[in-house]
Amino acid sequence: MFPYYLQQGLRSLRRTPVLTALMVLSIAMGIGASMTTLTVMHLLSGDPLPGRSEHIFYPQLDASPRGESARKEPMDMLDYTSAVDLWRDGPADRKALVVDSSVKLSASSSSEPPSIATMLSTTADFFPMFQVPMAFGAGWSQDDDERRARVAVISWDLNQRLFGGKDSTGQMLRIRDGEVRIVGVLKPWRPSPRFYTVAGGRFAQGDTADYYTRIEDVMVPFFTGLQLNAGNFQQFTCWNLPSNPGHLENSDCVWLQLWVQLDDATKVAAYRQFVDGYAQQQHQLGRISQPELTRVRSLMEWMDYNGVVPRDVRLQAWMALAFLGICLFNTVGLLLAKFLRRTGEIGVLRALGATRTMVFQQCLVEAALVGLAGGFGGLLLTLFGLWSVRQQPLAYADMMQLDMQMLAITFAVSVMTTVAAGMLPALRASRIDPALQIKAL
């Protein structure tokens, strides 16, 4: 019966082109507005490490002194002593310290003048833990971390700018007053969002325009970075002002992040127990006042805790969904008017033997056709909406592209919502009394 319902639905829609156009336009506008904002949310809050994020964790503890009111959550970053202790002794499969800072760099083999760039000081496990893709060479080793080797991995963009995109491994790079040897060059890599420097409800410590648009220009071993860029690291929070600003190794400041990889639930439980035990030990030594403030959050839990999706995007999404609801109510009224105008036709069908179920199904097929047409219109409006977002001065603007998942959702939402909106009009149409309608003909 479906081919027959489809044929009759198309014929019915062609008989009332103006009413059909109004319904399709109404659905298209609601779908276009809602899918544009939902796509933005999807791209900003998506899993940056699909299949691996459940194994990546962010440990926290609070080394600040107890104030007049005790904290309910630990600070978002770690002090130097806690971070290095957890990194050296923690029972994790992989561990990576992370801190970024601005540096002046240049290359003697390049004609490019010295420039200010962003440097990430991290440890060797950073690359395999986050599956960082390499175009040339590789990351450094754990031995390089311990012996403070003067080596570096540079970004694809920096390699293009300084070396014309050629394999630059073995070349020397000058960072402030020291030189490092390039051992690796990244492929174009842009995690969305740049999750490994999320803290305090914001992305990293630098310019907010960089949170979505770029990664660091150069990466060096953690302790090497502290030597090369001494005095230029920014503190996140201090409970005593550092005696030597920028030199934060022995300061009462939090400014470091630590990521760990735990491959199964047993290791997660053991690591949480280790962090709790460390906090208790430091409490007994008088360094930590609130040992109960420990957390080991997974990557997605950490992103959710920090609210990586901007509030205005969430608000726009709710407003767009409300607009879609208004469009659906409008469509309900239009479908009801359309179906009730055909009472004579429906009465004849019933008199010829069509059941209420058959009439109901035929009306739903017609509503689904409206939803499918509205989906095509909504897709065009969604593409236009995302194009409009890309024209805005937003840090994440150029990321706004419709992927296959959201494309499928666009049509699914359009058809499902229109069918749902058509159920009441279809039910009313199926309950028409054929005797009264035939008598009135």
Side-chain angles (χ1 to χ4, degrees):
M1 295 294 291
F2 179 76
Y4 172 75
Y5 294 153
L6 187 62
Q7 180 183 11
Q8 293 301 312
L10 290 171
R11 183 178 298 173
S12 174
L13 293 175
R14 285 197 297 266
R15 283 202 303 262
T16 55
V18 175
L19 191 59
T20 299
L22 287 175
M23 290 188 292
V24 170
L25 181 61
S26 178
I27 292 297
M29 291 179 64
I31 293 295
S34 59
M35 294 311 300
T36 297
T37 56
L38 290 176
T39 299
V40 173
M41 284 191 62
H42 166 71
L43 293 172
L44 295 185
S45 62
D47 188 345
L49 291 176
R52 288 182 52 80
S53 60
E54 65 270 21
H55 302 302
I56 307 300
F57 293 84
Y58 186 85
Q60 295 171 265
L61 55 82
D62 199 324
S64 64
R66 186 189 297 270
E68 296 181 358
S69 59
R71 296 179 183 274
K72 295 182 180 179
E73 289 287 340
M75 289 187 177
D76 286 354
M77 303 181 82
L78 296 170
D79 63 288
Y80 179 84
T81 300
S82 299
V84 173
D85 286 348
L86 294 179
W87 174 71
R88 290 192 185 280
D89 301 327
D93 295 288
R94 290 190 174 103
K95 299 168 284 187
L97 288 165
V98 174
V99 63
D100 58 5
S101 57
S102 297
V103 294
K104 179 182 178 181
L105 60 81
S106 61
S108 57
S109 58
S110 172
S111 59
E112 287 289 320
S115 60
I116 300 299
T118 305
M119 180 180 74
L120 186 74
S121 302
T122 185
T123 51
D125 281 346
F126 179 89
F127 302 99
M129 183 190 302
F130 297 138
Q131 296 183 330
V132 182
M134 289 287 180
F136 307 110
W140 55 85
S141 67
Q142 294 181 356
D143 288 341
D144 291 330
D145 283 326
E146 293 293 346
R147 63 187 180 87
R148 294 165 166 73
R150 294 295 180 97
V151 295
V153 171
I154 65 174
S155 69
W156 174 267
D157 291 340
L158 184 64
N159 189 61
Q160 292 286 333
R161 190 166 74 247
L162 295 183
F163 304 103
K166 299 179 181 179
D167 183 355
S168 59
T169 55
Q171 297 286 340
M172 301 302 293
L173 190 68
R174 188 168 187 82
I175 299 178
R176 291 187 68 185
D177 298 325
E179 287 194 333
V180 295
R181 177 173 53 87
I182 299 173
V183 297
V185 177
L186 301 183
K187 288 183 178 179
W189 182 55
R190 184 183 176 187
S192 173
R194 200 174 70 186
F195 58 90
Y196 55 87
T197 50
V198 172
R202 56 199 178 93
F203 290 79
Q205 301 173 1
D207 183 358
T208 56
D210 288 341
Y211 298 157
Y212 293 98
T213 58
R214 59 181 296 183
I215 62 170
E216 289 77 10
D217 299 288
V218 60
M219 302 178 181
V220 298
F222 176 76
F223 298 104
T224 302
L226 298 191
Q227 292 177 342
L228 290 172
N229 207 26
N232 285 332
F233 291 93
Q234 295 182 352
Q235 64 269 19
F236 188 75
T237 298
C238 295
W239 47 95
N240 288 312
L241 292 177
S243 57
N244 191 1
H247 297 264
L248 305 176
E249 289 87 336
N250 298 312
S251 65
D252 293 328
C253 299
V254 293
W255 56 293
L256 298 175
Q257 294 178 287
L258 174 67
W259 290 94
V260 299
Q261 178 180 323
L262 305 168
D263 290 337
D264 57 55
T266 302
K267 293 180 179 179
V268 174
Y271 192 82
R272 286 196 169 106
Q273 185 176 5
F274 164 76
V275 174
D276 291 341
Y278 175 80
Q280 290 292 340
Q281 177 195 57
Q282 296 299 307
H283 175 63
Q284 294 172 3
L285 295 175
R287 197 175 71 85
I288 290 180
S289 61
Q290 293 180 266
E292 70 280 3
L293 285 186
T294 62
R295 303 286 187 272
V296 180
R297 290 183 166 97
S298 69
L299 171 57
M300 297 306 293
E301 290 173 340
W302 179 240
M303 291 174 60
D304 182 64
Y305 173 74
N306 278 275
V308 297
V309 180
R311 292 182 179 179
D312 59 338
V313 172
R314 294 184 184 274
L315 177 60
Q316 290 168 11
W318 283 111
M319 293 177 63
L321 289 174
F323 179 67
L324 175 60
I326 295 172
C327 293
L328 289 177
F329 277 115
N330 183 45
T331 303
V332 169
L334 293 173
L335 285 173
L336 189 60
K338 179 177 177 60
F339 293 158
L340 293 183
R341 285 178 59 184
R342 296 165 51 195
T343 54
E345 176 187 338
I346 294 172
V348 171
L349 290 175
R350 290 293 311 282
L352 293 175
T355 64
R356 287 182 174 179
T357 301
M358 295 171 67
V359 173
F360 181 77
Q361 291 174 345
Q362 181 173 333
C363 291
L364 283 188
V365 169
E366 188 172 335
L369 290 173
V370 173
L372 188 61
F376 279 107
L379 173 62
L380 296 177
L381 290 177
T382 300
L383 294 174
F384 174 76
L386 294 176
W387 176 84
S388 299
V389 174
R390 291 195 295 273
Q391 310 311 307
Q392 302 299 314
L394 301 172
Y396 51 82
D398 64 327
M399 292 169 49
M400 297 300 108
Q401 303 287 342
L402 190 67
D403 57 22
M404 292 304 297
Q405 179 181 354
M406 296 307 293
L407 176 64
I409 291 175
T410 298
F411 284 100
V413 169
S414 179
V415 174
M416 291 174 62
T417 54
T418 309
V419 169
M423 292 186 72
L424 177 60
L427 185 62
R428 288 285 301 275
S430 67
R431 293 183 177 275
I432 292 174
D433 188 339
L436 292 177
Q437 296 303 321
I438 291 177
K439 184 178 179 179
L441 291 176

